């Protein structure tokens, strides 16, 4: 059952919050040992289910939360040994808002350490497996959240997206994932990776379910200086009639894709044509180079953000008396990929190299943004694949640069700060294929409205539950 259907049954008292929580917990206990989607379960969830006010709009709806979003009193590791025992004394705004509406946090999901990766294999604890194929990755870095939703261990989940971490795992696991316009969801309580890019986003098995979460958690927050005063109106937008729009297919994302991705794109265009959309090939010339800029800017910001993990403030602290050896041994606990990012980030910011790398990447980012803005004079939405191919095998990307190339189609919207949605649009063999819609700045609602039209026109043909459903 989809989250909005479950919510209706809870509202009609056909199911109680406790029954729902018990059913999902049972599935987690049965299936998660084979998947590794969860790092921590909320041991108080049944108690919370009993106490929740049934009059609240999301009363009793379970949500899984990526483990880089802090939850008061519930361990939050960011997938890192440095925060292995960290119990946050405060709540992220997104979580506080969901809980205030009656949603229940079922548990915390696995991720690449601090969100750095595209497969969830960089988790310090264990890799997560793809519910469609246990020999393959679920994508990353929100791989735990995507796998949990695809396996229906939970009806809804939160991820975070810096360069594709909600959209790419959503595509690999056959679910929906939204990266909102930068600033629409508060970053307060999201453990920082690259602050100018980080956004919390929802994952679910239907467009309506994404809308439920967005209406609950988006909107201005005085605790986040980059928060936008743009009140969410997602469910309202889904009820409005759809006027056919101009869809731009991004030329730079048309070659080098796997056969299943190519087929899904062709078929989706047919569906949009039938819905009355105008279709046009457009060019976003800087897109193929967006990866280069992203992998300068994101590590630069990460190197500054991760300086705080030195053993003197909170989190893991190595044994010892002398300050410097303690700091060194503490930071030695970072995983290899995190160390690599800190080194690259420190290098591109260093005197003598700053202009050659960081400043140029910033200038490039402005150009990419301007190009995207100009494109939206011609079309109302962009369409491109989320990834060039479906989920790859576990251990299949041992070269870090090959792993970075997985983000080819997702980093563009990230650098431009634009809203982007990955939706299930086909299969390649037994593996799901996702496509991506990108909207103008602040037009997140439009993305969902169009994706809903696609979902309805295709009769949810691309939604499968490989491991069955809770309800
Ligand atoms: N794979 C990208 C990276 O490693 C994106 C990760 C993310 O969005 N958090 O930086």
């Amino acid at each position: 059952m989809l989250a909005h259907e479950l919510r209706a049954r809870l509202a009609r008292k056909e199911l109680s919050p406790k029954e729902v929580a018990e059913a999902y917990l049972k599935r987690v206990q049965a299936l998660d040992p084979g998947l590794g989607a969860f790092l921590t379960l909320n041991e108080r969830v049944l108690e919370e289910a009993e106490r929740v006010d049934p009059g609240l709009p999301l009363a009793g709806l379970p949500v899984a939360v990526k483990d880089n979003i802090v939850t008061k009193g519930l361990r939050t590791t960011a997938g890192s040994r440095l925060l292995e025992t960290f119990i946050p004394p405060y709540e992220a705004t997104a979580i506080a808002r969901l809980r205030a509406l009656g949603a229940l946090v079922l548990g915390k999901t696995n991720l690449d350490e601090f969100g750095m990766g595209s497969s969830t294999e960089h988790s310090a604890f264990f890799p997560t497996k793809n519910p469609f194929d246990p020999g393959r990755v679920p994508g990353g870095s929100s791989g735990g959240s995507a796998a949990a939703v695809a396996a229906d261990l939970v009806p809804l989940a939160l991820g975070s997206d810096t360069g594709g971490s909600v959209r790419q795992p959503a595509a690999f696991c056959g679910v929906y994932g939204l990266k909102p316009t930068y600033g629409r969801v508060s970053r307060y309580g999201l453990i920082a990776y690259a602050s100018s890019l980080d956004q919390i986003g929802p994952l679910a098995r239907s467009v309506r379910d994404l809308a439920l979460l967005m209406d609950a958690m988006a909107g201005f927050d005085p605790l986040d200086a980059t928060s936008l005063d743009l009140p969410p109106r997602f469910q309202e937008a889904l009820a409005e009639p759809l006027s056919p729009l101009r869809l731009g297919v991004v030329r730079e994302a048309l070659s080098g894709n796997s056969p299943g991705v190519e087929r899904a794109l062709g078929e989706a265009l047919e569906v949009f044509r039938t819905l009355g959309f105008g279709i046009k090939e457009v060019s976003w010339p800087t897109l193929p180079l967006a990866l280069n800029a992203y992998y300068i800017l994101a590590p630069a910001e990460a190197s500054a953000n991760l300086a705080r993990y030195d053993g003197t403030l909170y989190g893991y602290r190595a044994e010892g008396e002398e300050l410097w050896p303690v700091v060194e041994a503490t930071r030695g606990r970072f995983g290899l990929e995190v160390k690599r990012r800190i080194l690259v980030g420190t290098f591109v910011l260093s005197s003598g190299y700053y202009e050659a790398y960081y400043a140029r990447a910033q200038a490039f980012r402005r150009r990419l943004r301007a190009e995207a803005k100009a494109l939206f004079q011609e079309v109302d939405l962009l369409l491109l694949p989320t990834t060039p191919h479906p989920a790859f095998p576990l251990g299949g990307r041992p070269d870090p640069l090959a792993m970075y190339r997985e983000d080819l189609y997702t980093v563009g919207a990230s650098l431009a700060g634009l809203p982007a949605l990955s939706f299930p649009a086909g299969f390649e063999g037994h593996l799901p294929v996702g496509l991506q819609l990108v909207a103008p700045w602040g037009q997140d609602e439009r993305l969902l409205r169009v994706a809903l039209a696609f979902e309805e026109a295709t009769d949810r043909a691309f939604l499968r539950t490989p491991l069955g459903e809770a309800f």
Side-chain angles (χ1 to χ4, degrees), residues 47-126:
E47 215 176 289
E48 290 169 11
E50 273 179 351
R51 276 205 326 260
V52 72
D53 173 356
L56 292 170
L58 303 183
L61 263 193
V63 181
V65 179
K66 186 178 183 180
D67 208 21
N68 62 349
I69 302 173
V70 304
T71 39
K72 190 174 178 178
L74 184 60
R75 184 175 81 127
T76 301
T77 67
S80 180
R81 295 268 171 224
L82 276 94
L83 293 175
E84 197 170 356
T85 57
F86 176 55
I87 313 276
Y90 71 111
E91 195 97 278
T93 296
I95 304 300
R97 290 184 178 173
L98 289 174
R99 280 186 156 155
L101 296 179
L104 302 172
V105 174
L106 191 72
K108 306 296 296 287
T109 56
N110 202 10
L111 68 159
D112 291 295
E113 187 172 2
F114 290 103
M116 298 175 185
S118 311
S119 69
T120 314
E121 293 167 296
H122 296 318
S123 163
F125 305 109
F126 44 79

Side-chain angles (χ1 to χ4, degrees), residues 66 115-118 140-141 160-165 193 294-295 341 407:
K66 186 178 183 180
M116 298 175 185
S118 311
S141 62
S160 71
D161 192 311
T162 302
S165 279
Y193 160 16
Y294 175 84
Y295 277 100
R341 306 274 179 122
D407 308 329

Side-chain angles (χ1 to χ4, degrees), residues 88-217:
Y90 71 111
E91 195 97 278
T93 296
I95 304 300
R97 290 184 178 173
L98 289 174
R99 280 186 156 155
L101 296 179
L104 302 172
V105 174
L106 191 72
K108 306 296 296 287
T109 56
N110 202 10
L111 68 159
D112 291 295
E113 187 172 2
F114 290 103
M116 298 175 185
S118 311
S119 69
T120 314
E121 293 167 296
H122 296 318
S123 163
F125 305 109
F126 44 79
T128 300
K129 290 166 187 162
N130 191 311
F132 284 85
D133 182 340
R136 291 177 187 263
V137 304
S141 62
S142 313
S145 286
V149 169
D152 201 28
L153 303 185
V154 70
L156 299 165
L158 298 190
S160 71
D161 192 311
T162 302
S165 279
V166 164
R167 291 162 283 159
Q168 185 253 20
F172 279 10
C173 292
V175 301
Y176 292 84
L178 172 70
K179 183 206 83 83
T181 297
Y182 181 76
R184 285 209 77 176
V185 179
S186 170
R187 288 184 297 112
Y188 182 72
L190 170 62
I191 294 177
Y193 160 16
S195 311
S196 78
L197 298 153
D198 297 340
Q199 264 298 284
I200 291 175
L203 294 112
R205 287 192 291 119
S206 81
V207 174
R208 289 188 194 285
D209 296 352
L210 294 184
L212 267 187
L213 279 177
M214 285 304 289
D215 280 339
M217 70 181 175

Side-chain angles (χ1 to χ4, degrees), residues 242-256:
L242 175 71
S243 35
L245 299 166
R246 298 167 300 168
L247 194 62
V249 187
V250 181
R251 180 176 310 144
E252 286 74 13
L254 289 179
S255 54

